[in-house]
Amino acid sequence: MQLETDELKKVGLKATLPRIHVLQLLLRTEGEHMSAEMVYRKLHEANVDVNLATIYRVLTQFEEAGLVERHQFDASTSVFELKSEQHHDH
C-alpha cells in the first residue's frame, strides 16, 4: 500500500482509501481498459465498498493528475487505463 500512497502523493492527491483501492485495482489489471462500472464491479467482488459516484470522481481526479488516460471508443462509455510511457494502439 506504500507504493500506492507514494504515487498519489507524488501527483498531489491525498491518499484516501477509495483512491488507494482504485489505484491498486488499476495496477493489478494494468493494460486493461476499464469503465467506472467495471471498476465498481471488481471492487465489490473483492468486498471493497466504494460507491459508483466515488469511483467516477476518483477516475476523473486520476485523469487530471496524469495517472490514467481516458478513452472513448463509443458514444456512451469511457474507459480508463494507467498512463504508460510506452505508446500502444487502440
Side-chain angles (χ1 to χ4, degrees):
M1 181 159 25
Q2 188 60 43
L3 170 69
E4 294 85 357
T5 301
D6 292 345
E7 280 298 309
L8 291 170
K9 288 180 180 178
K10 190 166 52 173
V11 296
L13 293 173
K14 187 175 176 183
T16 64
L17 275 178
R19 288 178 183 151
I20 291 169
H21 288 304
V22 171
L23 183 55
Q24 286 175 335
L25 176 62
L26 292 174
L27 288 167
R28 280 195 312 271
T29 59
E30 192 166 0
E32 286 186 45
H33 298 102
M34 298 183 66
S35 68
E37 291 82 6
M38 289 171 65
V39 171
Y40 174 80
R41 190 170 45 253
K42 287 187 180 280
L43 287 177
H44 276 270
E45 287 170 2
N47 294 316
V48 176
D49 187 29
V50 180
N51 70 45
L52 186 56
T54 300
I55 291 169
Y56 274 107
R57 191 168 42 256
V58 166
L59 289 170
T60 299
Q61 291 165 346
F62 283 5
E63 179 186 19
E64 291 170 355
L67 284 175
V68 300
E69 291 180 291
R70 177 189 305 249
H71 305 285
Q72 197 146 359
F73 299 123
D74 62 42
S76 63
T77 305
S78 291
V79 293
F80 300 84
E81 68 177 328
L82 284 176
K83 198 162 194 174
S84 172
E85 299 300 318
Q86 302 171 8
H87 172 76
H88 65 273
D89 293 325
H90 289 105

